[in-house]
Amino acid sequence: MAYLGRPLAAISALLGIVLSVGAISGSRSACLSFAPSSLASASFSNATHYATDTRVNISNAYSSIDVANLPGFCRVELVITTNATAGSTALTEVWLPDDWNGRVLTVGNGGLAGGVTVAELGHVAVPQGFAGISTNTGHDGGTDDGDWAGPHNDNAIVDWGWRALHLSVIAGKEIVQQYYGQPAGKSYYLGCSTGGRQGLKEVQDFPDDFDGVVVGSPANWQTHLQAWSVHMNLNTEPSTSSHFMTEEMWSDVIAPEVMRQCDELDGLKDGIINDPRICSFRPETLTCRPGQNTSTCLKKNQIDALHRIYADYYEGDQTYIFGGYYPGGETEYYHGLVGKKHFVIGTNYFGFMVTNDTGFTIHDYNATILKLADKIDPGQANAINPNLTAFAGPSHNGKLIQYVGWADQLISPGNTIHYYETVHEFTLANTTMDIDDYYRLFLVPGMNHCHVAPNQGGFAANAFGSVEQASNNNPPLSLDPQYNILAAMVQWVEDGVAPDTITAANYNDNDVANGVGFTRPLCRYPSTIRYQGGDPTSADSFSCA
């Protein structure tokens, strides 16, 4: 893999300009002889050294990496005691590069998964000189697996909710200090989805853990997110009903009509809706005419379902629950929450964490169960506290960058905006602080959820240095802060230069090997991207206003 022709072997030199605070060396001998002294709530398990450009082939139930182009590093494995009384533990890994930049980077997880995120330790942390930390959150399992949580396994749910990550950060920093002989200068975090939730939970409850936090599409309102996922399923289920829409209807009927109505509203017909809030999509235009082939049009019940899908979700007492889908991601929405397959995370959440009914189905969901979830907040996983003053105030001066794709098929971008605005409101009402001084939000036109796989990500400028990008052949255009969101955070924390825009790349077919298709600026909310004329493939032809 290369960053526009730069092999990973050359990245260290670039990082010396962009990120380094003075490289500190490790070595094979230091790694193999490493025997840390007593660690708080942790025990040392193993240390393995990987020389530069040797094969790194590691996999677990959640994450895997198989490459032969990484800089040299020491892989330290730990067992974290999360609850001594219950005898519960979590697995944690700390990857220590031979050429360390003096910083720590913790990376988050996804879904309900239990597994160290080795892909991001290898594709993001180590190549950029960070000592990387990741945890399995206290269990082993894939993204959708939920049976580890119950019934009644409350201790494991707490580990997943917050405890395993927080304790891993503490132990990981101790390992870094003992290995290099000095503490990390700064501590950073990078995560999306559940990883975004984990980051916000840390900011709210453990503000001293990180100096800079980058979170994408956070699953931070867990009780309402899972309720919304079931609600969305029910808008189209069962697949035999008159309101169900097939994959072909979404891709061949609905998606083209959305683009016909809304694509050019931003001044450029390019297959991307820059701000879908200005699009008032009218599905009635797809109404079946007498005698028309029903696979090419919509019936009334399907049109009604679309209105619910694109609307915010309120319960009967007018309680706001969650945002809806936004126009622009129709080619992926069927594979998100409105297809034939139920969203397993939602049913597992309510079955194993809320009701302790392992036979729970989406048809068992109702407003009473949502109220129960809010009351229990399994694992204290919700991260919705708008008061970030302990993190961002003068005693700590932490920074937060958040991003989300407008075409997210798993977590409505409305959730990201809602949380940002609750923090904005709290900041204005209770402090003299300016939210722009510590919290910046970037919305990515056309991008799906976190950019999760080579065949997903949407038609968008979706490569800008966050998680699940480089590991899916979508690295940032360069590691300069203008193109790499992690470097932008480092520059903000350490140099006081806050990002107003980030230049993101689209690679043809979402693969860097196919070359750059176009570049676009990501605009700081509430501004949006505007086409100014000129080459539509160049970010220079756009502005934020």
Side-chain angles (χ1 to χ4, degrees):
M1 184 190 357
Y3 290 87
L4 285 192
R6 292 187 182 93
L8 285 175
I11 289 177
S12 294
L14 179 61
L15 291 176
I17 298 172
V18 176
L19 294 177
S20 181
V21 293
I24 299 169
S25 296
S27 67
R28 175 178 175 82
S29 61
C31 178
L32 298 183
S33 63
F34 183 53
S37 58
S38 60
L39 300 167
S41 302
S43 61
F44 172 74
S45 177
N46 190 45
T48 307
H49 187 266
Y50 292 86
T52 300
D53 294 338
T54 58
R55 186 182 183 194
V56 179
N57 183 14
I58 303 170
S59 63
N60 56 52
Y62 165 60
S63 180
S64 64
I65 186 170
D66 187 359
V67 297
N69 56 1
L70 297 184
F73 70 98
C74 181
R75 177 195 183 197
V76 173
E77 298 171 78
L78 304 173
V79 177
I80 308 292
T81 299
T82 57
N83 185 328
T85 302
S88 60
T89 60
L91 302 180
T92 296
E93 295 192 21
V94 186
W95 289 21
L96 305 159
D98 290 351
D99 294 318
W100 182 44
N101 68 15
R103 306 178 180 94
V104 167
L105 175 67
T106 301
V107 294
N109 305 84
L112 302 176
V116 170
T117 313
V118 294
E120 306 309 322
L121 291 177
H123 286 284
V124 178
V126 167
Q128 299 185 46
F130 292 88
I133 300 172
S134 181
T135 175
N136 76 339
T137 73
H139 71 278
D140 296 320
T143 303
D144 295 343
D145 296 342
D147 55 1
W148 56 267
H152 302 292
N153 195 359
D154 296 340
N155 194 59
I157 300 171
V158 171
D159 283 346
W160 169 80
W162 61 269
R163 189 167 56 194
L165 180 67
H166 173 58
L167 295 178
S168 294
V169 172
I170 294 172
K173 288 181 179 181
E174 290 185 33
I175 289 292
V176 167
Q177 180 167 357
Q178 292 190 37
Y179 185 77
Y180 293 113
Q182 68 179 63
K186 295 293 180 181
S187 177
Y188 296 94
Y189 179 86
L190 193 64
C192 189
S193 195
T194 285
R197 178 190 65 77
Q198 291 169 310
L200 290 182
K201 186 70 172 177
E202 284 280 315
V203 165
Q204 295 163 20
D205 289 8
F206 307 103
D208 293 332
D209 278 1
F210 301 113
D211 299 290
V213 170
V214 179
V215 298
S217 191
N220 60 303
W221 204 351
Q222 193 67 204
T223 55
H224 284 206
L225 166 61
Q226 303 308 340
W228 174 72
S229 71
V230 174
H231 164 78
M232 293 291 274
N233 285 162
L234 291 170
N235 281 327
T236 56
E237 287 292 322
S239 59
T240 55
S241 70
S242 61
H243 52 266
F244 180 77
M245 289 158 281
T246 65
E247 180 178 1
E248 291 73 22
M249 295 180 75
W250 277 100
S251 62
D252 300 340
V253 179
I254 301 170
E257 180 63 11
V258 168
M259 286 298 160
R260 187 190 71 80
Q261 293 186 26
C262 303
D263 186 8
E264 293 185 79
L265 294 177
D266 54 25
L268 180 65
K269 184 178 182 180
D270 59 353
I272 299 173
I273 301 173
N274 287 334
D275 186 347
R277 292 172 301 179
I278 67 173
C279 170
S280 299
F281 172 52
R282 297 168 50 236
E284 286 80 5
T285 60
L286 293 171
T287 303
C288 291
R289 304 297 299 270
Q292 186 175 354
N293 183 338
T294 55
S295 67
T296 65
C297 57
L298 298 180
K299 300 176 182 177
K300 183 181 186 304
N301 286 348
Q302 293 168 325
I303 292 171
D304 291 343
L306 282 181
H307 280 296
R308 293 191 297 272
I309 288 167
Y310 289 112
D312 289 346
Y313 171 28
Y314 286 83
E315 264 302 335
D317 60 357
Q318 294 305 300
T319 298
Y320 174 80
I321 308 301
F322 219 70
Y325 275 167
Y326 286 78
E330 287 69 26
T331 57
E332 194 59 33
Y333 288 163
Y334 179 87
H335 303 288
L337 303 175
V338 292
K340 189 173 183 179
K341 182 180 178 181
H342 297 169
F343 188 56
V344 179
I345 292 178
T347 54
N348 280 343
Y349 177 81
F350 284 108
F352 291 104
M353 296 189 187
V354 177
T355 66
N356 291 305
D357 175 7
T358 58
F360 183 91
T361 73
I362 61 172
H363 303 290
D364 297 317
Y365 171 77
N366 55 47
T368 300
I369 289 177
L370 171 57
K371 290 181 180 179
L372 176 63
D374 276 335
K375 180 180 179 180
I376 298 172
D377 183 13
Q380 298 85 57
N382 275 351
I384 56 177
N385 185 351
N387 182 0
L388 304 186
T389 53
F391 173 75
S395 63
H396 186 65
N397 201 31
K399 308 298 182 188
L400 174 62
I401 294 176
Q402 189 167 329
Y403 68 89
V404 67
W406 273 121
D408 196 312
Q409 77 278 23
L410 297 181
I411 302 177
S412 170
N415 173 65
T416 285
I417 295 172
H418 177 81
Y419 178 69
Y420 175 90
E421 293 293 10
T422 63
V423 176
H424 191 192
E425 179 185 22
F426 180 93
T427 302
L428 290 172
N430 298 279
T431 78
T432 58
M433 298 166 62
D434 185 338
I435 193 171
D436 287 340
D437 291 338
Y438 71 91
Y439 186 3
R440 298 201 168 193
L441 168 61
F442 296 86
L443 290 116
V444 187
M447 189 174 84
N448 297 146
H449 185 64
C450 295
H451 186 62
V452 293
N455 63 335
Q456 295 178 342
F459 183 62
N462 50 26
F464 46 88
S466 195
V467 293
E468 302 183 43
Q469 294 180 359
S471 56
N472 282 299
N473 299 321
N474 277 258
L477 201 62
S478 87
L479 296 176
D480 183 89
Q482 184 58 47
Y483 304 97
N484 180 12
I485 198 168
L486 178 57
M489 173 56 80
V490 170
Q491 187 178 58
W492 192 7
V493 168
E494 299 180 18
D495 298 330
V497 179
D500 275 325
T501 64
I502 296 170
T503 302
N506 168 272
Y507 299 110
N508 294 310
D509 297 324
N510 285 328
D511 190 336
V512 65
N514 297 325
V516 177
F518 57 88
T519 60
R520 294 283 167 85
L522 307 182
C523 299
R524 174 167 60 92
Y525 179 84
S527 63
T528 59
I529 185 173
R530 303 288 176 86
Y531 178 57
Q532 301 299 309
D535 181 1
T537 68
S538 171
D540 293 337
S541 300
F542 298 82
S543 65
C544 296

